[in-house]
Amino acid sequence: VVAATSNDWNSRRRATTASSVVDMLELSDVSDEAMRALVPSAWREDDAATSHDRHPGEPTTRPRPAILDPGLFDDAERPAFRMASRNRLTPMDARRFPGDDAFSTIARAVCDADALPRKELFETWHAAIAITDALGPTSLDADASPATTTTRRRHRRVMDLAGGHGFLAMCLLIINPRLSSAVVVDRRKPDSHERLVSSLANAFPASRVHARLRYVEASIADATPTPCTTLVSVHACGDLSDLVLKLAAEARSPVAVVPCCHRGLAPARAFAERLNAAVEGTSGVEGTGGSGPSPICPSAAMDVARLELLRRAGFRVHARTIPREITPKNRVIVGAAAAAAALDEDDEHDASPGWRSVADAIPASPWKWHVGGT
């Protein structure tokens, strides 16, 4: 596969258009075998598992025990509970989450806040779990710096871009208690944001959500992350997903996005046809049962291109999914820069060991570390 660098992402001032993401890939001399390898097995298996579902995201009459307590209702009277529903969760819905686990506690707090739709609860929780699983302590643990590099404590921050209520940042702070802080960046803070923060802070007092979370009303294009900042975004529409990936490539920051609203699919259709043609060569091979995998759709091909561009920029990439019962736009793109690049940081990116140097390092506005122009 043709090598590339982060310049692939940085060649444009703003986010590339969704159509140009595929155009940025140079694949003229790539073999069919290499083309097949571009499609992550996690995404391929997810497509295969749902290829016979007529309506992905349909209501499920038997929710997973980890999500809803199966003993809450008798089988005969169990109601359909659509995790993909956009109805807002209210205090009356709290009874649906009677468990003592972290998810149930978060869900009850969300219900008490009367702020989020049901779909956002489930998709954000599963995205937070997928991000934590893929990135691990290297990118999410403030104390995860190797002893061979420095004895100083590294501050690991999460930046939730186009974050809306900031619920993803809150979930990551609760799941990863050793994260230093999180900042949510969006053009407008929802009126119910503070209500959601207060509800989760009361449910998890030890997590100190209030103290570790900040909200900045600004364009995400003005964000200035560092290698110690993990960029995350769930359902950043269209070009916003590419902008998040571009910011990560520039800053060598760990990144995780759940793309949606794929636009400019004409080049992606041609790329999908080429991927499908490469995959068709495996159809009928012994062990496949004589039938090939389900076709790769243009939106999936666009996400394959995004993942490959991130890999070519020098990132270790991971492909994850969240349940299709929640959303058919369920692919998760995760990347972390090579360890050597992540460790090559200026002193200002680390916590200072002395009070004098701490005072010297504080800018006029501490949040200028994260967002320019504020």
Side-chain angles (χ1 to χ4, degrees):
V1 177
V2 179
T5 67
S6 59
N7 290 331
D8 288 332
W9 286 105
N10 301 337
S11 59
R12 301 173 187 268
R13 182 180 179 187
R14 295 298 181 186
T16 59
T17 62
S19 59
S20 68
V21 173
V22 175
D23 295 333
M24 288 164 65
L25 280 177
E26 176 54 52
L27 297 168
S28 57
D29 298 326
V30 177
S31 66
D32 284 353
E33 182 179 0
M35 289 292 290
R36 289 192 294 270
L38 292 180
V39 185
S41 58
W43 294 354
R44 199 192 306 269
E45 292 167 3
D46 178 72
D47 286 339
T50 58
S51 60
H52 300 295
D53 292 346
R54 290 181 297 176
H55 302 289
E58 279 288 295
T60 173
T61 57
R62 288 184 177 272
R64 297 181 180 180
I67 301 300
L68 290 177
D69 184 357
L72 185 60
F73 301 100
D74 294 333
D75 287 343
E77 47 186 40
R78 184 187 302 274
F81 187 74
R82 289 189 73 239
M83 291 187 287
S85 171
R86 296 184 183 274
N87 292 336
R88 190 173 73 248
L89 289 166
T90 69
M92 292 294 294
D93 292 312
R95 64 185 180 86
R96 296 181 179 272
F97 310 97
D100 294 328
D101 56 290
F103 171 77
S104 297
T105 306
I106 288 175
R108 289 194 298 272
V110 169
C111 292
D112 291 340
D114 197 10
L116 298 183
R118 189 186 305 169
K119 177 176 180 285
E120 188 169 347
L121 166 66
F122 287 106
E123 71 182 354
T124 303
W125 168 258
H126 281 282
I129 293 296
I131 292 168
T132 299
D133 177 65
L135 291 178
T138 301
S139 299
L140 297 174
D141 192 336
D143 288 331
S145 57
T148 56
T149 60
T150 178
T151 59
R152 290 180 291 179
R153 174 183 170 89
R154 292 181 183 274
H155 278 202
R156 290 293 181 186
R157 300 178 177 90
V158 163
M159 187 181 293
D160 187 359
L161 298 174
H165 282 84
F167 183 49
L168 177 59
M170 298 177 211
C171 286
L172 289 170
L173 287 174
I174 292 169
I175 296 172
N176 303 278
R178 297 175 75 165
L179 267 175
S180 300
S181 59
V183 58
V184 184
V185 182
D186 212 332
R187 288 190 177 275
R188 189 185 72 83
K189 180 168 65 173
D191 295 337
S192 53
H193 165 76
E194 296 296 344
R195 194 164 68 242
L196 181 62
V197 173
S198 296
S199 184
L200 286 167
N202 290 334
F204 295 91
S207 294
R208 300 170 50 249
V209 176
H210 267 304
R212 297 161 66 206
L213 182 70
R214 294 292 183 274
Y215 203 111
V216 176
E217 293 182 291
S219 168
I220 68 173
D222 296 328
T224 55
T226 73
C228 283
T229 305
T230 299
L231 305 185
V232 297
S233 186
V234 171
H235 286 181
C237 293
D239 295 354
L240 290 182
S241 293
D242 300 310
L243 177 53
V244 174
L245 294 171
K246 171 182 175 290
L247 290 170
E250 289 177 340
R252 314 301 294 166
S253 300
V255 62
V257 297
V258 182
C260 78
C261 302
H262 299 76
R263 299 165 185 162
L265 289 175
R269 289 191 183 95
F271 183 41
E273 290 175 1
R274 186 171 178 192
L275 287 172
N276 287 321
V279 172
E280 284 175 2
T282 63
S283 300
V285 177
E286 183 179 356
T288 63
S291 61
S294 58
I296 297 167
C297 64
S299 61
M302 183 176 291
D303 289 340
V304 168
R306 287 166 168 158
L307 193 73
E308 176 62 10
L309 281 172
L310 197 60
R311 186 194 68 78
R312 293 185 182 191
F315 282 63
R316 298 188 304 273
V317 297
H318 306 272
R320 296 289 192 272
T321 61
I322 60 179
R324 279 183 178 257
E325 293 172 313
I326 303 169
T327 175
K329 301 171 184 177
N330 66 335
R331 291 178 291 274
V332 186
I333 298 173
V334 184
L343 294 174
D344 185 19
E345 301 165 355
D346 296 331
D347 288 343
E348 68 184 52
H349 297 154
D350 290 325
S352 302
W355 289 106
R356 182 182 301 275
S357 54
V358 169
D360 294 341
I362 296 177
S365 172
W367 294 106
K368 288 186 178 180
W369 277 326
H370 304 291
V371 180
T374 58

PDB file of all heavy atoms in Angstrom, residues 26 33 43 191 258 277:
ATOM      1  N   GLU A  26      -4.512   7.064  -2.714  1.00  0.00           N
ATOM      2  CA  GLU A  26      -3.850   6.641  -3.940  1.00  0.00           C
ATOM      3  C   GLU A  26      -3.814   5.110  -3.952  1.00  0.00           C
ATOM      4  O   GLU A  26      -3.059   4.485  -3.219  1.00  0.00           O
ATOM      5  CB  GLU A  26      -2.428   7.215  -3.998  1.00  0.00           C
ATOM      6  CG  GLU A  26      -1.623   6.740  -5.199  1.00  0.00           C
ATOM      7  CD  GLU A  26      -2.332   7.001  -6.518  1.00  0.00           C
ATOM      8  OE1 GLU A  26      -2.747   8.150  -6.747  1.00  0.00           O
ATOM      9  OE2 GLU A  26      -2.487   6.042  -7.300  1.00  0.00           O
ATOM     10  N   GLU A  33      -5.776  -8.309  -3.020  1.00  0.00           N
ATOM     11  CA  GLU A  33      -5.561  -8.795  -1.651  1.00  0.00           C
ATOM     12  C   GLU A  33      -5.420  -7.625  -0.678  1.00  0.00           C
ATOM     13  O   GLU A  33      -5.988  -7.643   0.416  1.00  0.00           O
ATOM     14  CB  GLU A  33      -4.317  -9.670  -1.600  1.00  0.00           C
ATOM     15  CG  GLU A  33      -4.033 -10.254  -0.220  1.00  0.00           C
ATOM     16  CD  GLU A  33      -2.801 -11.137  -0.203  1.00  0.00           C
ATOM     17  OE1 GLU A  33      -2.173 -11.299  -1.261  1.00  0.00           O
ATOM     18  OE2 GLU A  33      -2.476 -11.659   0.883  1.00  0.00           O
ATOM     19  N   TRP A  43     -16.088  -4.639  10.950  1.00  0.00           N
ATOM     20  CA  TRP A  43     -17.163  -4.075  10.138  1.00  0.00           C
ATOM     21  C   TRP A  43     -17.734  -5.124   9.191  1.00  0.00           C
ATOM     22  O   TRP A  43     -18.925  -5.161   8.945  1.00  0.00           O
ATOM     23  CB  TRP A  43     -16.645  -2.874   9.353  1.00  0.00           C
ATOM     24  CG  TRP A  43     -16.269  -1.721  10.221  1.00  0.00           C
ATOM     25  CD1 TRP A  43     -16.449  -1.611  11.582  1.00  0.00           C
ATOM     26  CD2 TRP A  43     -15.623  -0.513   9.808  1.00  0.00           C
ATOM     27  NE1 TRP A  43     -15.957  -0.411  12.031  1.00  0.00           N
ATOM     28  CE2 TRP A  43     -15.451   0.288  10.982  1.00  0.00           C
ATOM     29  CE3 TRP A  43     -15.177  -0.026   8.591  1.00  0.00           C
ATOM     30  CZ2 TRP A  43     -14.842   1.539  10.940  1.00  0.00           C
ATOM     31  CZ3 TRP A  43     -14.575   1.220   8.540  1.00  0.00           C
ATOM     32  CH2 TRP A  43     -14.418   2.000   9.702  1.00  0.00           C
ATOM     33  N   ASP A 191     -29.495  24.288  26.937  1.00  0.00           N
ATOM     34  CA  ASP A 191     -29.988  24.813  28.215  1.00  0.00           C
ATOM     35  C   ASP A 191     -29.993  23.746  29.307  1.00  0.00           C
ATOM     36  O   ASP A 191     -29.844  24.050  30.495  1.00  0.00           O
ATOM     37  CB  ASP A 191     -31.403  25.374  28.041  1.00  0.00           C
ATOM     38  CG  ASP A 191     -31.444  26.583  27.119  1.00  0.00           C
ATOM     39  OD1 ASP A 191     -30.391  27.237  26.978  1.00  0.00           O
ATOM     40  OD2 ASP A 191     -32.505  26.866  26.549  1.00  0.00           O
ATOM     41  N   VAL A 258     -17.550   8.501  15.632  1.00  0.00           N
ATOM     42  CA  VAL A 258     -18.641   7.692  15.092  1.00  0.00           C
ATOM     43  C   VAL A 258     -19.284   8.538  13.999  1.00  0.00           C
ATOM     44  O   VAL A 258     -20.089   9.420  14.296  1.00  0.00           O
ATOM     45  CB  VAL A 258     -19.678   7.329  16.179  1.00  0.00           C
ATOM     46  CG1 VAL A 258     -20.777   6.448  15.588  1.00  0.00           C
ATOM     47  CG2 VAL A 258     -19.002   6.621  17.350  1.00  0.00           C
ATOM     48  N   ALA A 277     -15.514  -5.753  -5.791  1.00  0.00           N
ATOM     49  CA  ALA A 277     -14.908  -6.582  -6.829  1.00  0.00           C
ATOM     50  C   ALA A 277     -13.739  -7.380  -6.272  1.00  0.00           C
ATOM     51  O   ALA A 277     -13.537  -8.545  -6.633  1.00  0.00           O
ATOM     52  CB  ALA A 277     -14.447  -5.694  -7.989  1.00  0.00           C
TER      53      ALA A 277
END
